[in-house]
Amino acid sequence: LTSYKSVGIDAGGTLIKIAYKLDGELQFRKFPVAEMTAAVTWLQEQFSDAEICVTGGKGKQLHDLLDRPIHTLVEFDATCSGVQYLMAGQQLPADPFVLTNVGTGTSIHFVDKERHHRVGGIGVGGGTLMGLSYLLTSIQDYAEIVETARRGNRQYIDLKVSDIYEGTVPPIPGDLTASNFGNVLKHQETRQNSDILASVIGLVGETITTISVQAATQNGVLSIVYIGSSFIGNDVLRDTVVNYTILRGALPTVLQNGEYSGAIGALLAVSI
Ligand SMILES: Nc1ncnc2c1ncn2[C@@H]1O[C@H](COP(=O)(O)OP(=O)(O)OP(=O)(O)O)[C@@H](O)[C@H]1O
Ligand SMILES: [Mg+2]
């Protein structure tokens, strides 16, 4: 049995993310918060002698169950340090950027080398995606939501600028969404779950992008780095955010393994 020296944990509102190293290589694991006791059992088995560093909103709850001494780290410090570690490893430029973490909710930061500060956030995030999807279609499995959305068509649910400016030249690109869900009352034909879910993801993605682009403009940077589990396996959200960010004139990066940034930051704090 391998004996690990250190482990970093980010216990968020929805998912517990865990990072550790095996033969110098980063390893990742995640558990739903709803299965925290299973996570604790696994952690006790794998990391009986390790230094543990915990971050995230559910960190206190996890610590109580772990019932042993741990280190803790402020969530935003952990996240930003993990992001910089991943970016350096992926040869991404170290210029200042806006960081958008799409977790249960969405948090936005300005990051520049050793400095970072939170510039804002919104309640529209991965939790919104899950909640609205369930209310509108009764589907609550994340993978099923994304899979279904992939086949969807937003045309009869969302209203584009070109729908309003029918037959004339609009003052802004016609492909922009004029009103998310704004086409619903005009098209009363039965709607597929796939179409509804595509529009839910569109709403979340466009809202996140809009506020990120504004944060970038306000802070005088072009680059926006997106992280968070809401992008896991979710090419619909990813494509929406990437395309919409480019359309708005900024430079998007959806960071690979970005959902583990907090856990990596926590791990770095207890690794020597
Ligand atoms: N297996 C999964 N189960 C549930 N949600 C998932 C899963 N995979 C991805 N998600 C999406 O990821 C979101 C949670 O993202 P993330 O893990 O980054 O948030 P968190 O850290 O738990 O929350 P916060 O940072 O807001 O406290 C969910 O709301 C959902 O949209
Ligand atoms: Mg989080």
Side-chain angles (χ1 to χ4, degrees):
L1 197 77
T2 325
S3 92
Y4 298 104
K5 288 201 178 58
S6 43
V7 56
I9 307 170
D10 172 13
T14 307
L15 298 172
I16 300 166
K17 279 78 61 184
I18 300 166
Y20 56 101
K21 279 191 174 174
L22 180 62
D23 303 325
E25 293 276 323
L26 273 176
Q27 310 289 317
F28 303 120
R29 180 81 199 243
K30 63 177 168 358
F31 291 89
V33 164
E35 292 164 27
M36 195 180 280
T37 48
V40 167
T41 306
W42 185 80
L43 286 163
Q44 304 283 32
E45 279 169 14
Q46 299 289 318
F47 304 96
S48 51
D49 300 321
E51 297 275 345
I52 300 183
C53 183
V54 177
T55 191
K58 298 279 181 215
K60 169 79 172 68
Q61 203 174 316
L62 185 80
H63 183 198
D64 290 347
L65 289 171
L66 275 170
D67 197 26
R68 64 192 251 203
I70 59 160
H71 305 265
T72 58
L73 200 58
V74 175
E75 179 176 350
F76 303 144
D77 293 342
T79 305
C80 290
S81 116
V83 163
Q84 283 174 316
Y85 180 89
L86 284 172
M87 288 182 71
Q90 295 170 29
Q91 274 88 48
L92 290 165
D95 301 332
F97 57 91
V98 157
L99 174 68
T100 298
N101 184 1
V102 190
T104 312
T106 299
S107 190
I108 303 188
H109 310 262
F110 176 78
V111 185
D112 184 10
K113 296 190 184 73
E114 300 299 294
R115 294 184 304 129
H116 66 86
H117 64 271
R118 190 171 185 278
V119 295
I122 34 168
V124 176
T128 314
L129 191 163
M130 301 298 287
L132 278 182
S133 295
Y134 177 65
L135 279 180
L136 295 171
T137 67
S138 299
I139 302 175
Q140 50 180 319
D141 179 71
Y142 175 76
E144 192 183 342
I145 290 169
V146 175
E147 172 67 44
T148 309
R150 207 169 276 146
R151 301 190 303 267
N153 181 348
R154 299 171 58 187
Q155 190 180 353
Y156 297 126
I157 296 182
D158 297 322
L159 195 69
K160 286 187 173 189
V161 168
S162 57
D163 295 326
I164 297 183
Y165 277 82
E166 271 185 297
T168 60
V169 180
I172 52 173
D175 259 353
L176 286 172
T177 305
S179 177
N180 296 84
F181 287 87
N183 222 357
V184 167
L185 296 182
K186 272 212 291 184
H187 290 271
Q188 296 285 4
E189 52 270 83
T190 50
R191 259 171 278 274
Q192 306 289 321
N193 280 347
S194 55
D195 300 340
I196 294 171
L197 294 178
S199 289
V200 167
I201 295 180
L203 167 77
V204 171
E206 290 169 6
T207 306
I208 288 161
T209 304
T210 300
I211 148 154
S212 302
V213 170
Q214 280 171 5
T217 306
Q218 275 165 11
N219 288 278
V221 298
L222 272 182
S223 175
I224 303 172
V225 175
Y226 294 97
I227 61 167
S229 307
S230 305
F231 294 103
I232 296 180
N234 193 344
D235 41 298
V236 184
L237 184 69
R238 191 181 287 255
D239 292 351
T240 304
V241 165
V242 165
N243 295 334
Y244 207 58
T245 303
I246 293 169
L247 186 67
R248 297 287 308 274
L251 296 170
T253 304
V254 181
L255 188 61
Q256 203 187 333
N257 296 324
E259 64 276 18
Y260 290 102
S261 299
I264 294 169
L267 173 68
L268 295 174
V270 286
S271 313
I272 4 95

